[in-house]
Each structure stands twice: as C-alpha cells, then as structure tokens.
Amino acid sequence: MAQQIVIEPVTRIEGHAKITIKLDEEGNVADAWFHVTQLRGFEKLCEGRPFSEMPSLMARICGICPVSHSIASAKACDQLLAVRIPEPAVKLRRLINLAQILQSHALSFFHLSAPDLLLGFDSDPQKRNLFGLIEANPQMAKDGIKLRKIGQSVIEILAGKRIHPSWIVPGGVSEPLNVEKRDAILAMLPEAKEITLRTLQWFKFSLEKFRDEIRAFANFPSLFMGLVTSEGKWECYHGRIRVVDGGGHIVADQLDPTEYQDYIGEATEPWTYLKFPYYKPKGYPNGMYRVGPLARLNIIDGFGTDMADQEWAEFRELERGAVLSSFYYHYARLIEILHTVEKMEELLNDPDILSKHVRASAGLNNLEGIGVAEAPRGILFHHYKVNEEGLMEWANLIIATGHNNLAMSKGILQASKHFVKGKQLSEGMLNRVEAVIRAFDPCLSCSTHAVGHMPLHIQLIGPDGTLLDELRRD
Amino acid sequence: MRAPVRIKTLTIDGKEVSAKEGETIWQVARENGIDIPTLCYLEGLSPVGACRLCLVEVKGANRLLPACVTQVEEGMEVTTNSERLVNYRRMILELLFSERNHTCSVCVVNGHCELQRLAQRLGVTHVRFPYRYPDLPVDASHERFAIDHNRCILCTRCVRVCDEIEGAHVWDVMGRGIKSQIIADLNQPWGTSDVCTSCGKCVHVCPTGAIFEKGKAVAEMEKRRQFLPYLTIMRGGKQ
Ligand code: SF4
Ligand code: SF4
Ligand code: FES
C-alpha cells in the first residue's frame, strides 16, 4: 500500500499550501506535489465589480509584488478601453515595475536566502534568518536592508506611500513624474549598483561550496518561458513571448502574449485547485516550463545594458545549453537587480520621462482584455471579461507560482528522493525541501517566512489514513 | 411685513450663544465655531435626522437629540462633545462599516470619503461588531455613473438632492431596516430610468463611494458639491 507524506506550510496569506510526498510500498519516494490554493478567491472576488478597480484590487493578491499585478491588470484594462497609452506612461510603468523587481529580488536574496547560503543549509534553524545573518556578516545584512529600501523608496516616490498604491490606472498612470522626484530616485541608484556588484562578487566566489545543492535543486531539463523585446533582449513590460528548451534552443519566438491560450494549456488535477500550465505543443506534462529570473536569463540574447550583459555572458558560461539548476535562480536574481538599476538610470535620463502626457481616457470599448508583464517571479497573465456595463464577469490569472508549479513539484520530488530516507521525517530533509521551494521563491514562501525559516508542517500518513509521523515547524 | 425675528439664548459647551428662533442646534453651533459631526445632513437639503451622528446632550432631556433637526430653545444647555457622545458616534460608524462592504483600499473615493474621514477623526481603529458581508450588486447600467450598494450608508442625500433640487425624483428607499436599499424609479436599472437627467448631483452629494463616475480608478473620485448652496439660494429656498 502506498503512503503519503504531507508537508503543510502554515501561511499568513489567503488559502494554504502543502507538499505531498507519496511513498510506494517499499517506503521509497514515488511522487511529490506542491499545491497552493490561494488564487481562486481573487478570480471570484472580482466578479460584478467595475473593471476600473482591478489594478488596485489585483495588487492585493500579493503583498510582495503588488506593483506587477497592478501593471498586468492595468494592461488588461487598457485593452478594455481599446487605447494605446502615451509613451511616457509606458516608461513610468516600466520604471515602477523595475523597482518592484529590484525590491522583491533583494528581499528574496538577502532576507530569505542569504542565511541559508551564508550559514549553511544544515545550520540551526533558529539562527538561519536575517538576525543570524546580521551576526555572521553585518555588511551583507546591511546591504540587503539598504537595497530593498531603495526599491521600496522608488515605488513610494512614484506611487505614493500607501500600502496598495493606486497610481497605476487603466489608460496610464494618474500623475506625471516631476524633476525633484526624478532626481531623488537618480541619487539612490549608484549605491544600489555598488551593493549589487559587491554581492555578485561574493556569490560567484562562494558557488564552489554549493556543488551538492546545485546538483540536487530542481536540476533537470525543462522549457523556459518569458518576455523578450523584438530584438530578443530582456523585457519586463511589453514584449513578446519566447520559449527555450533545456538545450538552450529557441522553440518558439515572438508569440503574441494575448494569444496565450493557443500555446499554454492549463491542466487540472483532482487533488488540487491549482492549475498546471504547460506548453501545449509538448503536451502535458512534458510541456513543463519554468519562469522567473532563471528562465529570463536562459531565454534572452542579452540585457541591453553594459554591466548586466557582462555578468550575463559569464552566467551563460555555466552550462553549454540553458542553465538548468534552480539553485541558480539566486544568481540570476542578482544579475537582474544589476540590470534594473542600469535600466532605471537609462529611463530617468530620458527627458520624455517628465512628460505630462501620461494618460489616455476612453470609455469601455472591448469586452475582453489580456494584460501580460514580467513580475519578479516570472511572467504574469491577467485575462478579463466584462459585461456591457463594465462589470467584471470572469477573470483568469496565471501567476509565476502557477507557471512553475510542475517544475517545483518535480524539484521537490528530486530533492525528496535525494534526502528522504525511509519513513522517518528528518529536519535535514525539511531543510532541503524548503530550500528548493525557496529557490523558486513562490509568492507564498516569501509571505510566510519574511523573518527566518518557512513554517512547515509535514505529516506522514499511513495507508489507512493514520498519522505515522509528524514534524512541525511554525 | 415679516414677523420680527425672535432671539433665543442658550449655552453650547458652556459657551453662551444667541440664535434666531427656528435655527437648529447644529447651525448655531457652527456659527459659533463648534463642529458637530454629521453624515446624512447636508446644507442645502432638508434635514432628516437619519444617521444620528450629530447626537448631542441637552440638559434636562431624557435622551440624546440629533443636532441637525432639533431647534434651539431658550435656556438650553447643550453639550456637543463628551466621552459618552464620542462612544456613541464611534459605535454608529462601526455599525455602518460592518453593515456593508467597505473595502477602502480599493474604493473609488479612498482618501476623499466622508465616512472614512469621520472614522479617522473619531479614532475608530477597529470594528467591534461582526461584519455582515452582504452580497450586494453594482448597478452600472447608467451611461456615465454607477451605484455600488456595497458602499451605501442610506443617508438619503441622493434621494433628497434629486427630488428637492433637480426635481426628478429618481431615487427612493425600498425595504425596511437592515433590508433597506436605494432604488431608481420603480426598482429598475438606473440606466433605464426615463426621468434621470444625468445631472450628476447625486454623484456629488453622496458622502461615500456608493455613487461615482464611471471610469474613475481607485481613489480618483472626488466629490464637488459647491453647486448646492448656490442652487438653493437661486431658488429662494430656505435651508
Ligand atoms: S465609501 Fe468610504 S468608507 Fe466606504 S469603502 Fe469607500 S472609502 Fe471606505
Ligand atoms: S447612495 Fe450615497 S447618497 Fe444615496 S443613500 Fe447611499 S450613501 Fe447616501
Ligand atoms: S447628521 Fe444629524 S442625524 Fe445625520
């Protein structure tokens, strides 16, 4: 009789998530899944509401990357209005999305992952947090706090101090940027660059130590998906979709994101509400793909900014084809931070960024809209249908955690096979499984373990449903 | 010949004041720089005393009295601010919040809302009553405006402005008690009303995000009601 181990992170966000590890009769790991259920709520919640609320409402999906949700949502609304928003508004939206990526990556790297990286995966969980980091390497802890603060300040300068900014609106943004604000942002960027370069140096130097993790952390071929510009460069706001395979070959390029349903299927499984997106031409589940920092670095032909391009070239030297180990998500994140800083500088030095033309106004002209953008954790789809009165009738969202679901499950399986021995649950196994999830940085994990370790609940359940073993870490 | 104006003297918060006969406690208080919170009351519209936010203590009266509809009397001793009053006012606001779905952070009037502003002013930090989470619709059938019953506090300002100032009488209240709801004409979609002139007056007197202009994004709707006193004067109406 097969047995199941269930790992349940106790989350502070809507819905919950858990990990199920299935054992076969011999007690060996047979299969593993990662499931989240928090998104259904939002798709229901918006029904009957005016679409003009969506950019703000959708921002609440995620406490860590509200801006990216706002942007995908506003782009879907632009389509409902059937407007092409003024170019300065595009630049401003891009600017704030870059700041969001910077802020979120800094949180992920320094606050959540650096303790693992610096103190070791098997170190005392009580110490493996930001405070432990402050003790062990005060400079790095300070850098992390500062970098995240810079990202946060840019967002606040642009969108106001509210927790849920309402600056991004259908048709553009609600207010132009002025000289003082621009200069205030520009003044912060050199330090951000310094910190990032310093950290990159350290990370590259430390890579040697993580050979085991690199090998075992969701290290397998998969497809990679994300947005690129028409020249194949890194893109977080507009752009078209490129798909690359594990060998680094382009499988599809310049796909129209608004036609996602043609090439992205969404499989369902009876045991979870979460959908499993897959690349249709390869079928399910072979069409598994990864999104986010690692994927973006695997699909692009370059960043288009000097320093990031140099780092990227070095990164791609790691493997002959695509870089496959999910451990490298951390590395990719640092390089992306560097690019966001360079790109923000570039945008802010463009005089057009101060233009007063930041909004197109129109009534409802389309009953369906699709907005796509890159969020810190990967490509994001917002697809809305409204009635003639502009009230929401239906929404479909595909978020990064969803895209990565298949790969994350496979990664957990790989790590479990490696680290789960017998029917006993061990702290070490918990740590590795947790670290694999953390490498992907699903929204869920970052909301739940902002301070220190991820709250987890593992249950080992016998064939007749009785509890064989239990391990809890809150 | 007009009848001579009679003068009444009274005290408000210990201060001796004089008032014209027929004036309300709220008006006299305001003339004397004392601001009694209100929600349903709006200068220019007839007062209805519906929200009870303006309750004041009057010495000798065995209950609290709504300042917006209570006329002054000779020798009255009025208290507009006491711990008891503040408690009641807070409770009224909490009840309003719990009754419908006020999600300020995604509301069109976030930052420009009378209900929100009052809650801040009176220090309402949490709601002690269980939220009812009613399932209420948004009527967006009108070409330019929409009414979101989730944010309505049943102050009836819209009813009164439409009837008394615009003269169209589109709005009414249907049902009783907790089931009350604002309706257009004979409980039909606003957009199908053939008496609505689309003047927008109800939009601007509504204290909350219940009636708003379509297409306004979150926090973008600001109410402008400078027209009200002007219109009432033009029509020779009394307050
Ligand atoms: S109407 Fe006022 S109190 Fe109600 S949700 Fe909107 S802002 Fe909040
Ligand atoms: S719709 Fe607005 S003005 Fe009318 S009763 Fe409700 S809250 Fe008052
Ligand atoms: S303002 Fe007096 S009862 Fe509402």
Side-chain angles (χ1 to χ4, degrees):
Chain A
M1 266 288 192
Q3 294 169 327
Q4 283 194 350
I5 302 176
V6 182
I7 306 182
E8 207 156 352
V10 186
T11 74
R12 273 187 270 120
I13 53 171
E14 288 96 334
H16 70 285
K18 62 180 179 187
I19 297 157
T20 311
I21 301 171
K22 200 171 181 192
L23 303 181
D24 62 18
E25 283 96 279
E26 283 80 52
N28 295 321
V29 174
D31 216 342
W33 307 281
F34 176 71
H35 16 160
V36 216
T37 57
Q38 87 272 27
L39 270 179
R40 298 298 283 188
F42 268 89
E43 291 163 341
K44 274 238 86 61
L45 203 76
C46 65
E47 271 171 32
R49 301 300 310 169
F51 75 85
S52 43
E53 272 176 17
M54 290 306 118
S56 295
L57 183 71
M58 292 298 179
R60 295 161 66 84
I61 289 176
C62 176
I64 304 293
C65 57
V67 167
S68 305
H69 278 288
S70 266
I71 284 180
S73 177
K75 287 182 72 180
C77 293
D78 297 344
Q79 288 203 346
L80 297 175
L81 305 175
V83 293
R84 242 187 94 176
I85 73 168
E87 201 47 38
V90 171
K91 289 178 181 157
L92 287 167
R93 282 186 183 177
R94 181 173 281 136
L95 185 66
I96 198 170
N97 202 24
L98 289 165
Q100 173 74 91
I101 293 173
L102 164 65
Q103 189 263 111
S104 167
H105 279 5
L107 174 79
S108 166
F109 187 86
F110 291 92
H111 295 62
L112 309 180
S113 302
D116 287 351
L117 301 174
L118 199 80
L119 307 170
F121 290 91
D122 291 318
S123 61
D124 179 4
Q126 297 304 318
K127 283 252 162 87
R128 222 160 8 90
N129 53 38
L130 188 61
F131 306 110
L133 182 66
I134 292 172
E135 254 174 49
N137 189 339
Q139 178 62 40
M140 181 178 284
K142 239 173 66 196
D143 278 355
I145 293 169
K146 183 73 205 201
L147 196 59
R148 179 167 182 228
K149 177 96 204 305
I150 292 175
Q152 196 55 39
S153 308
V154 178
I155 294 172
E156 280 176 13
I157 289 173
L158 292 171
K161 275 218 160 56
R162 295 227 179 84
I163 314 171
H164 299 289
S166 40
W167 181 62
I168 302 155
V169 294
V173 296
S174 61
E175 248 183 87
L177 182 69
N178 62 31
V179 183
E180 295 78 50
K181 289 181 174 177
R182 181 198 59 187
D183 294 349
I185 300 176
L186 271 173
M188 293 188 282
L189 298 183
E191 192 184 358
K193 210 184 271 175
E194 252 170 63
I195 293 175
T196 315
L197 287 172
R198 180 156 64 224
T199 314
L200 256 168
Q201 242 2 77
W202 171 84
F203 186 83
K204 287 191 280 189
F205 186 74
S206 320
L207 271 179
E208 258 307 289
K209 286 195 302 195
F210 301 112
R211 235 180 285 140
D212 270 0
E213 282 77 12
I214 292 170
R215 208 175 314 122
F217 275 27
N219 187 355
F220 43 75
S222 73
L223 300 173
F224 296 95
M225 185 185 288
L227 292 175
V228 291
T229 66
S230 52
E231 291 91 43
K233 296 282 196 263
W234 192 94
E235 171 63 291
C236 71
Y237 180 77
H238 269 328
R240 287 173 164 250
I241 286 175
R242 178 182 280 184
V243 183
V244 162
D245 68 16
H249 312 292
I250 295 177
V251 176
D253 202 6
Q254 301 296 323
L255 300 174
D256 183 346
T258 61
E259 281 161 13
Y260 76 96
Q261 284 170 318
D262 290 350
Y263 49 85
I264 296 178
E266 291 182 81
T268 50
E269 293 281 0
W271 42 267
T272 175
Y273 286 119
L274 193 75
K275 290 167 287 191
F276 290 85
Y278 62 98
Y279 179 60
K280 267 191 189 167
K282 298 259 176 188
Y284 178 75
N286 289 336
M288 167 181 70
Y289 58 87
R290 280 179 269 181
V291 301
L294 179 70
R296 288 189 289 250
L297 264 65
N298 276 330
I299 61 167
I300 56 173
D301 300 330
F303 275 97
T305 55
D306 294 342
M307 291 170 130
D309 270 338
Q310 268 179 30
E311 295 292 339
W312 175 75
E314 203 178 315
F315 176 86
R316 290 297 299 266
E317 288 296 309
L318 287 171
E319 281 178 58
R320 212 165 305 140
V323 176
L324 297 180
S325 171
S326 295
F327 184 81
Y328 289 126
Y329 265 100
H330 300 305
Y331 191 178
R333 241 167 242 134
L334 288 175
I335 303 176
E336 285 198 332
I337 295 180
L338 188 59
H339 174 67
T340 60
V341 179
E342 287 183 291
K343 190 75 191 174
M344 282 196 263
E345 259 172 1
E346 184 188 307
L347 283 167
L348 289 163
N349 284 319
D350 176 351
D352 202 29
I353 200 85
L354 298 172
S355 161
K356 301 275 176 279
H357 301 289
V358 294
R359 184 142 185 202
S361 59
L364 181 66
N365 292 306
N366 270 331
L367 298 185
E368 190 170 351
I370 299 176
V372 183
E374 284 284 350
R377 291 160 191 76
I379 193 165
L380 190 59
F381 291 81
H382 280 224
H383 184 179
Y384 306 157
K385 289 181 188 166
V386 296
N387 67 12
E388 296 282 347
E389 298 173 1
L391 300 181
M392 294 285 292
E393 288 199 317
W394 176 90
N396 188 33
L397 313 173
I398 314 182
I399 55 156
T401 308
H403 291 293
N404 280 336
N405 196 23
L406 273 178
M408 245 188 294
S409 298
K410 187 157 181 202
I412 291 164
L413 174 64
Q414 196 181 40
S416 315
K417 280 196 166 152
H418 214 87
F419 298 108
V420 176
K421 299 274 182 287
K423 287 184 217 163
Q424 293 299 309
L425 300 166
S426 70
E427 182 74 21
M429 168 251 162
L430 203 73
N431 291 345
R432 304 304 157 127
V433 170
E434 177 184 343
V436 169
I437 303 170
R438 189 171 288 166
F440 283 92
D441 188 27
C443 320
L444 167 95
S445 77
C446 55
S447 330
T448 54
H449 65 152
V451 186
H453 56 255
M454 192 186 300
L456 286 175
H457 184 192
I458 305 189
Q459 289 186 316
L460 181 63
I461 295 164
D464 53 352
T466 49
L467 195 65
L468 299 179
D469 193 9
E470 192 169 26
L471 207 61
R472 188 189 287 275
R473 184 205 283 165
D474 297 315
Chain B
M1 267 288 279
R2 278 218 228 156
V5 184
R6 280 178 218 263
I7 300 295
K8 310 263 180 187
T9 53
L10 62 153
T11 67
I12 302 183
D13 294 340
K15 182 174 165 191
E16 287 214 15
V17 300
S18 54
K20 295 187 221 89
E21 182 176 34
E23 277 190 297
T24 64
I25 297 176
W26 187 86
Q27 287 169 324
V28 179
R30 218 217 17 198
E31 282 159 22
N32 288 280
I34 297 167
D35 186 13
I36 304 173
T38 56
L39 258 183
C40 67
Y41 181 66
L42 190 63
E43 265 187 302
L45 300 179
S46 58
V48 286
C51 73
R52 316 310 267 187
L53 219 75
C54 65
L55 287 176
V56 293
E57 292 167 359
V58 175
K59 194 161 177 200
N62 55 1
R63 56 190 179 94
L64 302 174
L65 297 170
C68 69
V69 288
T70 307
Q71 297 188 356
V72 292
E73 275 165 38
E74 185 62 37
M76 253 183 179
E77 286 177 42
V78 181
T79 306
T80 71
N81 210 344
S82 68
E83 213 183 302
R84 172 170 169 230
L85 288 172
V86 170
N87 273 340
Y88 275 123
R89 286 176 190 149
R90 277 201 198 126
M91 194 188 294
I92 291 168
L93 292 177
E94 287 175 40
L95 285 165
L96 286 175
F97 280 114
S98 68
E99 206 169 286
R100 299 211 171 171
N101 304 307
H102 291 272
T103 335
C104 300
S105 57
V106 297
C107 180
V108 271
V109 298
N110 190 13
H112 319 286
C113 170
E114 282 185 53
L115 180 60
Q116 198 183 41
R117 206 155 37 225
L118 269 178
Q120 279 159 0
R121 174 174 155 196
L122 293 172
V124 176
T125 50
H126 62 286
V127 172
R128 286 165 288 178
F129 310 103
Y131 286 88
R132 294 186 69 250
Y133 299 117
D135 187 13
L136 293 167
V138 178
D139 177 356
S141 56
H142 192 285
E143 209 195 321
R144 288 168 48 207
F145 315 124
I147 176 166
D148 180 355
H149 295 283
N150 294 287
R151 314 274 198 258
C152 171
I153 55 168
L154 296 165
C155 68
T156 70
R157 285 187 189 178
C158 55
V159 178
R160 286 172 283 151
V161 81
C162 185
D163 176 45
E164 296 168 15
I165 309 286
E166 182 62 9
H169 200 125
V170 172
W171 299 114
D172 248 310
V173 185
M174 162 186 88
R176 300 188 67 83
I178 200 83
K179 296 218 180 78
S180 309
Q181 193 175 311
I182 295 293
I183 51 168
D185 285 3
L186 299 167
N187 192 15
Q188 64 203 56
W190 187 1
T192 65
S193 162
D194 24 63
V195 290
C196 173
T197 62
S198 301
C199 71
K201 290 191 177 65
C202 58
V203 179
H204 290 283
V205 297
C206 175
T208 69
I211 312 188
F212 58 95
E213 280 166 14
K214 275 181 157 179
K216 289 276 190 227
V218 166
E220 276 196 319
M221 181 76 212
E222 284 185 67
K223 307 283 174 113
R224 297 178 304 275
R225 52 183 76 105
Q226 295 85 334
F227 67 89
L228 248 187
Y230 173 73
L231 279 180
T232 31
I233 291 162
M234 290 301 284
R235 292 176 187 199
K238 63 172 173 59
Q239 296 255 322

Coordinates of all heavy atoms in Angstrom, one line a residue, chain B residues 47-77:
Chain B
P47 N -33.2 68.5 6.3 CA -32.6 67.6 7.2 C -33.5 66.5 7.5 O -34.7 66.7 7.5 CB -32.3 68.4 8.5 CG -33.3 69.6 8.4 CD -33.6 69.8 6.9
V48 N -33.0 65.2 7.7 CA -33.8 64.1 8.0 C -33.5 63.4 9.3 O -34.3 62.6 9.8 CB -33.8 63.0 6.9 CG1 -34.6 63.5 5.7 CG2 -32.4 62.7 6.6
G49 N -32.4 63.7 9.9 CA -32.0 63.1 11.2 C -31.9 61.6 11.1 O -32.4 60.9 12.0
A50 N -31.3 61.1 10.1 CA -31.3 59.6 9.9 C -30.1 58.9 10.5 O -30.2 57.8 10.9 CB -31.4 59.3 8.4
C51 N -28.9 59.6 10.4 CA -27.7 58.8 10.8 C -27.4 58.9 12.3 O -26.7 58.0 12.8 CB -26.5 59.3 10.0 SG -25.9 60.9 10.5
R52 N -27.9 59.8 13.0 CA -27.7 60.0 14.4 C -26.2 60.3 14.8 O -25.9 60.2 16.0 CB -28.2 58.8 15.2 CG -29.5 58.2 14.8 CD -30.5 59.3 14.7 NE -31.4 59.5 15.9 CZ -32.4 60.3 15.9 NH1 -32.8 60.9 14.8 NH2 -33.1 60.5 17.0
L53 N -25.5 60.7 13.9 CA -24.1 61.0 14.2 C -24.0 62.3 15.0 O -23.0 62.6 15.7 CB -23.2 61.1 12.9 CG -21.9 60.5 13.2 CD1 -22.0 59.0 13.2 CD2 -20.9 60.9 12.1
C54 N -25.0 63.2 14.8 CA -24.9 64.5 15.3 C -25.5 64.6 16.7 O -25.8 65.7 17.2 CB -25.6 65.5 14.4 SG -27.3 65.2 14.3
L55 N -25.8 63.5 17.3 CA -26.4 63.5 18.6 C -25.7 64.3 19.6 O -24.4 64.4 19.7 CB -26.4 62.0 19.2 CG -27.4 61.1 18.6 CD1 -27.3 59.7 19.2 CD2 -28.9 61.6 18.7
V56 N -26.5 65.1 20.4 CA -25.9 65.9 21.5 C -26.6 65.7 22.8 O -27.8 65.2 22.8 CB -25.9 67.4 21.1 CG1 -25.0 67.7 19.9 CG2 -27.3 67.9 20.8
E57 N -26.0 66.1 23.9 CA -26.7 66.1 25.2 C -27.3 67.4 25.4 O -26.7 68.4 25.3 CB -25.7 65.8 26.3 CG -25.1 64.4 26.2 CD -23.8 64.2 27.1 OE1 -23.4 65.1 27.8 OE2 -23.3 63.1 27.1
V58 N -28.6 67.4 25.9 CA -29.3 68.6 26.3 C -29.7 68.4 27.7 O -30.4 67.4 28.0 CB -30.5 68.9 25.4 CG1 -31.3 70.1 25.9 CG2 -30.0 69.1 23.9
K59 N -29.3 69.3 28.5 CA -29.6 69.2 30.0 C -31.1 69.1 30.2 O -31.9 69.9 29.6 CB -29.0 70.4 30.8 CG -29.0 70.1 32.2 CD -28.0 71.0 33.0 CE -28.1 70.7 34.4 NZ -27.5 71.9 35.2
G60 N -31.5 68.2 30.9 CA -33.0 68.0 31.2 C -33.7 67.1 30.3 O -34.8 66.6 30.6
A61 N -33.1 66.9 29.1 CA -33.8 66.0 28.2 C -33.4 64.5 28.6 O -32.2 64.3 28.9 CB -33.3 66.2 26.7
N62 N -34.3 63.6 28.5 CA -34.0 62.3 28.9 C -33.4 61.4 27.8 O -33.3 60.2 28.0 CB -35.3 61.6 29.5 CG -36.4 61.6 28.5 OD1 -36.2 62.1 27.4 ND2 -37.5 61.1 29.0
R63 N -33.1 62.0 26.7 CA -32.4 61.2 25.7 C -31.5 62.1 24.9 O -31.6 63.4 25.0 CB -33.5 60.6 24.7 CG -34.4 61.6 24.1 CD -35.5 60.9 23.4 NE -36.4 62.0 22.8 CZ -36.3 62.4 21.6 NH1 -35.4 62.0 20.8 NH2 -37.0 63.4 21.2
L64 N -30.7 61.6 24.0 CA -29.8 62.4 23.2 C -30.6 62.9 22.0 O -31.5 62.2 21.5 CB -28.7 61.5 22.7 CG -27.8 60.9 23.8 CD1 -26.8 60.0 23.2 CD2 -27.1 62.0 24.7
L65 N -30.3 64.1 21.6 CA -31.0 64.7 20.5 C -30.2 65.0 19.3 O -29.0 65.4 19.4 CB -31.6 66.0 21.0 CG -32.6 65.9 22.1 CD1 -33.0 67.3 22.7 CD2 -33.9 65.2 21.7
P66 N -30.7 64.7 18.1 CA -29.9 65.0 16.9 C -29.9 66.5 16.6 O -30.9 67.1 16.4 CB -30.7 64.2 15.8 CG -32.1 64.1 16.3 CD -32.0 64.1 17.8
A67 N -28.7 67.0 16.6 CA -28.5 68.4 16.4 C -29.0 69.0 15.1 O -29.3 70.2 15.0 CB -27.0 68.8 16.6
C68 N -29.0 68.2 14.1 CA -29.3 68.7 12.7 C -30.8 69.0 12.6 O -31.2 69.7 11.7 CB -28.8 67.7 11.7 SG -29.7 66.2 11.6
V69 N -31.6 68.4 13.4 CA -33.1 68.6 13.3 C -33.7 69.2 14.5 O -34.9 69.5 14.5 CB -33.9 67.3 12.9 CG1 -33.6 66.9 11.5 CG2 -33.5 66.2 13.9
T70 N -32.9 69.4 15.6 CA -33.5 69.9 16.8 C -33.4 71.4 16.9 O -32.2 72.0 16.8 CB -32.8 69.3 18.1 OG1 -32.9 67.9 17.9 CG2 -33.5 69.7 19.3
Q71 N -34.5 72.1 17.0 CA -34.4 73.6 17.0 C -34.0 74.1 18.4 O -34.3 73.4 19.4 CB -35.8 74.2 16.7 CG -36.1 73.8 15.2 CD -37.4 74.5 14.7 OE1 -38.0 75.2 15.5 NE2 -37.7 74.3 13.5
V72 N -33.3 75.2 18.4 CA -32.9 75.7 19.7 C -34.1 76.3 20.5 O -35.1 76.7 20.0 CB -31.9 76.9 19.5 CG1 -30.6 76.3 18.9 CG2 -32.5 78.0 18.6
E73 N -33.9 76.2 21.8 CA -34.9 76.8 22.7 C -34.2 77.7 23.7 O -33.0 77.5 24.0 CB -35.7 75.7 23.4 CG -36.8 75.2 22.6 CD -37.4 73.9 23.1 OE1 -37.4 73.7 24.3 OE2 -37.7 73.0 22.2
E74 N -35.0 78.6 24.3 CA -34.5 79.5 25.3 C -33.9 78.7 26.5 O -34.5 77.8 27.0 CB -35.6 80.4 25.7 CG -35.2 81.5 26.7 CD -34.2 82.5 26.1 OE1 -34.3 82.8 24.9 OE2 -33.2 82.9 26.8
G75 N -32.7 79.1 26.9 CA -32.1 78.5 28.1 C -31.5 77.1 28.0 O -31.1 76.5 28.9
M76 N -31.5 76.5 26.8 CA -31.0 75.2 26.6 C -29.5 75.1 27.0 O -28.8 76.1 26.8 CB -31.0 74.9 25.1 CG -32.0 73.9 24.6 SD -31.8 73.6 22.9 CE -33.1 72.4 22.6
E77 N -29.1 74.0 27.5 CA -27.7 73.8 27.8 C -27.3 72.6 27.0 O -27.6 71.4 27.4 CB -27.5 73.6 29.3 CG -27.6 74.8 30.1 CD -27.5 74.6 31.6 OE1 -26.6 73.8 32.0 OE2 -28.3 75.1 32.4

